[in-house]
Amino acid sequence: MNEVESFSEVRVESMSNINTDRYIAQLTGSDELWEPLWGLKTKLTETESYLLNSFPVRRLHFIHHSGCSYINTQHVATRLQHTLGVFSLVAYYCPDWYELRIAALLHDIGHSPFSHVLEQIEGIDHHKRTNELLYSPEISDILTKDNFEPSVILDLIEGNTISPLRNKDNKIHLDHLDSWVRSAQITGLLQSPAQLLPKLELEGNYISTDVDTAELLIQFIISEAKFHCSEVNIGPNVILKHLVSKLIDHNVVAVEAISEMTDSRLETLLLSCEQTKEEANRLFYHSQEIKVSRKAENDGSNQYSFVLNKLYLSEPVIKNGVVLVNSLTSYPMLERLSSFLGTYLISWND
């Protein structure tokens, strides 16, 4: 046997011994889901596996959770990563509430490209789109096959039915918790999110905790609010929305079509369209030149106006009500965040 033949046989033998075990971090093709932020492994039901493979859910992996701020920050998580974080938390705290687990998997499917960024464009509404998708053949067929009613799932998603996933009582719920903790890890406020789990527990349909952890959660909420009001978040997102509006105004794309797109598909249009490509290139590659202020400037530059009218400031629930949340040291800082609401003016620093 010559050297070539010997090498060939060894290579074939080694290839036949490839590890066929399921890779722990894969998203589909397994009956278990590993969630790395929280360190949770969840056994999937057949319905959940089908939903995870559906187009509306898979599409979320190509939507940035924090919108266009990914271009100049380390907020690069996708909507699907956030969704799976929320799902894993729901499955951890409510393992047998299968409608709620499904609602967690589907709660963000209505988001357009870049998450909330395009919501101020008429005709783009992720709540309405979620409703449409829940009753679409692909999703409704999966749900009704196992006797899950889309209307029940929708009420859980919207918070009409109070649950650990969502509520309308301004109390921390698992959807916001995952977002805040995800950001806290990125910014170094929290090293190991898994350490929080033993300190959080169900109290009725709410998530409660001890005084020290409640204080820590308020710090996360404040940090997240400051990020939303920052130049690196507001600037790119406002310019992106302006550019997408141009695409619509010039009939390059219809509003209805945008809802099914991914971030990259919309980016491609922005970078190829004559009316937007110059500014889009500047946005994606020179975002440091964006200027954000609270006052009008008479410097001759074109300014885009943006009104920030909402911050996500739901409050922690302290176990057994032993202490009022408004007595915590950091609570006054939450109240002062309202000063960030109002009009912002965005321009290029020419």
Side-chain angles (χ1 to χ4, degrees), residues 5-253:
E5 291 173 335
S6 176
F7 172 77
S8 177
E9 287 188 6
V10 169
R11 185 176 62 178
V12 170
E13 182 181 357
S14 64
M15 290 291 285
S16 68
N17 292 328
I18 288 176
N19 180 16
T20 58
D21 293 341
R22 296 294 186 186
Y23 178 56
I24 186 172
Q26 71 186 70
L27 293 175
T28 58
S30 175
D31 60 356
E32 285 187 329
L33 176 73
W34 165 251
E35 204 296 309
L37 180 76
W38 294 99
L40 294 173
K41 183 181 284 187
T42 304
K43 182 79 171 178
L44 298 172
T45 67
E46 184 179 57
T47 300
E48 291 163 354
S49 294
Y50 280 129
L51 289 172
L52 190 54
N53 284 311
S54 69
F55 175 82
V57 175
R58 288 291 302 147
R59 176 183 160 276
L60 296 178
H61 206 36
F62 308 99
I63 306 293
H64 286 93
H65 182 242
S66 295
C68 195
S69 62
Y70 87 93
I71 65 174
N72 58 355
T73 72
Q74 297 197 52
H75 288 270
V76 295
T78 70
R79 274 277 152 193
L80 183 58
Q81 289 173 307
H82 162 66
T83 290
L84 297 182
V86 176
F87 166 77
S88 297
L89 287 172
V90 167
Y92 178 80
Y93 288 108
C94 309
D96 300 321
W97 193 347
Y98 293 106
E99 290 88 354
L100 192 64
R101 288 168 57 134
I102 289 171
L105 263 185
L106 299 178
H107 81 278
D108 269 350
I109 57 174
H111 276 286
S112 294
F114 298 100
S115 295
H116 293 284
V117 175
L118 306 181
E119 289 282 322
Q120 293 184 356
I121 295 176
E122 186 177 355
I124 295 180
D125 182 337
H126 77 275
H127 296 288
K128 180 181 177 182
R129 182 61 178 159
T130 297
N131 192 334
E132 292 171 351
L133 288 171
L134 277 175
Y135 287 93
S136 67
E138 182 174 11
I139 297 298
S140 65
D141 286 354
I142 295 172
L143 296 179
T144 56
K145 177 179 179 289
D146 290 315
N147 299 314
F148 292 108
E149 181 59 47
S151 62
V152 173
I153 305 301
L154 183 61
D155 279 339
L156 288 166
I157 290 174
E158 295 292 345
N160 298 325
T161 302
I162 297 174
S163 74
L165 173 65
R166 287 262 177 87
N167 66 70
K168 296 184 177 181
D169 303 326
N170 200 39
K171 306 299 183 186
I172 282 183
H173 49 70
L174 296 179
D175 183 14
H176 284 170
L177 179 66
D178 180 84
S179 293
W180 291 329
V181 168
R182 210 165 280 278
S183 292
Q185 187 187 50
I186 289 170
T187 56
L189 286 175
L190 181 66
Q191 299 300 319
S192 177
Q195 294 177 355
L196 281 179
L197 292 176
K199 300 177 181 180
L200 303 170
E201 61 184 49
L202 280 183
E203 191 169 316
N205 281 317
Y206 300 97
I207 300 295
S208 66
T209 190
D210 57 79
V211 172
D212 289 340
T213 305
E215 189 76 60
L216 182 63
L217 292 175
I218 288 180
Q219 293 296 325
F220 297 167
I221 295 166
I222 292 168
S223 176
E224 183 77 347
K226 288 182 175 179
F227 164 63
H228 281 290
C229 302
S230 68
E231 186 173 71
V232 294
N233 184 60
I234 289 177
N237 285 323
V238 169
I239 291 178
L240 178 79
K241 183 181 78 69
H242 162 74
L243 291 171
V244 173
S245 296
K246 270 191 174 182
L247 292 179
I248 296 169
D249 292 342
H250 287 87
N251 297 316
V252 175
V253 63

Side-chain angles (χ1 to χ4, degrees), residues 266-273 276-278 280-282 284-285:
L266 196 52
E267 287 176 7
T268 299
L269 284 179
L270 291 170
L271 290 167
S272 60
C273 175
T276 58
K277 65 181 183 181
E278 182 178 350
N281 267 289
R282 193 173 185 185
F284 292 124
Y285 300 108

Side-chain angles (χ1 to χ4, degrees), residues 326-341:
N326 59 12
S327 68
L328 297 178
T329 303
S330 298
Y331 190 83
M333 295 178 65
L334 273 182
E335 296 181 315
R336 289 197 290 272
L337 288 172
S338 61
S339 65
F340 289 123
L341 299 175

